[in-house]
Amino acid sequence: MADSAPTPETARRGLILINTGPGKGKTTAALGTAMRAAGNGMRVLILQFLKGSWHYGELDAAEALNSESGSETARNFVIKQLGRGFVKVGGAETDPEDIRLVEAAWDEAAEAILSGEWDLVVLDEINYAIGYKMLAPEVVAEVLRRRPEMVHVILTGRNAHPLLVELADTVTEMREVKHAYQRGILAQRGIEF
Ligand code: ATP
Ligand code: MG
């Protein structure tokens, strides 16, 4: 082997990925990656900021994956909704309850990322919480920088903050070509929730 070629072991490292942009597919792409990681025996934690009122199919899929995992106690694919499904925003009008929920969600996220107990942590919709100024991007960046080397993190939501885009390894912007909603077609089970 050439001296310059890194061995696979030394080449392994945790990545920061961002799925952003106005098109559909940010959360579902993260779920696809999460499924891929789970298939590789990795421990996956998905924390959903702001979400809480809708019951998404992935919550039940995660439970099914856990019960397939053999051990009664092993929960290696966990999704938690940490919001209430809607958020009142607009400068001073931001509901303090929503800020409290985001702060609690972030505390849980930071602890999970730094603990090394998870191989992949998905921070779903966190970009919206940052965009609504409920969470400071510097605070998120600081935790991402000092996470254990092998931990992968995916952040989703429109308008990813430039500071986090800069820090990330892989950033994908979903572009909307068209969306069923524009023709008045409502959210469909299995596709949107
Ligand atoms: P998904 O969860 O389907 O991957 P997403 O994470 O890219 O979507 P979000 O901004 O989190 O998108 O919004 C979630 C909801 O909004 C989903 O029901 C999704 O179908 C819908 N949605 C996403 N993009 C658009 C769009 N461009 N126009 C209308 N509705 C959209
Ligand atoms: Mg989403």
Side-chain angles (χ1 to χ4, degrees):
M1 196 189 289
D3 286 348
S4 59
T7 65
E9 268 314 296
T10 57
R12 289 179 62 227
R13 49 159 296 189
L15 298 175
I16 299 169
L17 301 96
I18 297 180
N19 298 341
T20 191
K24 173 175 164 63
K26 298 171 289 293
T27 294
T28 45
L31 290 171
T33 308
M35 195 173 161
R36 175 176 284 173
N40 279 286
M42 293 161 71
R43 301 156 302 175
V44 176
L45 177 64
I46 300 172
L47 298 177
Q48 301 192 313
F49 287 71
L50 312 180
K51 284 179 175 170
S53 57
W54 281 45
H55 189 84
Y56 292 84
E58 53 263 37
L59 299 169
D60 298 324
E63 282 311 310
L65 267 176
N66 281 319
S67 57
E68 295 288 313
S69 68
S71 159
E72 285 289 309
T73 51
R75 286 173 56 80
N76 292 331
F77 195 98
V78 174
I79 307 184
K80 287 190 191 175
Q81 296 189 318
L82 302 176
R84 51 178 178 165
F86 59 91
V87 52
K88 286 190 222 149
V89 284
E93 286 164 38
T94 304
D95 191 325
E97 175 63 7
D98 286 320
I99 295 175
R100 198 192 62 73
L101 285 170
V102 166
E103 284 173 352
W106 172 248
D107 287 347
E108 184 164 348
E111 195 186 327
I113 291 165
L114 297 173
S115 73
E117 285 172 21
W118 303 96
D119 301 300
L120 169 63
V121 180
V122 177
L123 307 175
D124 189 32
E125 319 301 351
I126 192 171
N127 292 338
Y128 295 103
I130 295 167
Y132 295 147
K133 307 216 181 305
M134 302 163 95
L135 179 61
E138 294 81 8
V139 170
V140 176
E142 190 270 327
V143 165
L144 293 177
R145 282 197 201 93
R146 70 186 165 89
R147 77 195 190 283
E149 204 179 355
M150 288 310 304
V151 176
H152 302 286
V153 182
I154 306 178
L155 299 87
T156 86
R158 292 183 189 205
N159 302 317
H161 193 279
L163 180 70
L164 299 173
V165 170
E166 169 73 25
L167 186 64
D169 300 288
T170 298
V171 179
T172 302
E173 194 167 80
M174 306 295 174
R175 183 171 70 88
E176 184 192 283
V177 176
K178 56 175 159 174
H179 193 288
Y181 184 74
Q182 294 156 346
R183 288 199 293 136
I185 301 169
L186 297 180
Q188 299 296 309
R189 176 181 299 277
I191 302 298
E192 263 90 32
F193 61 94

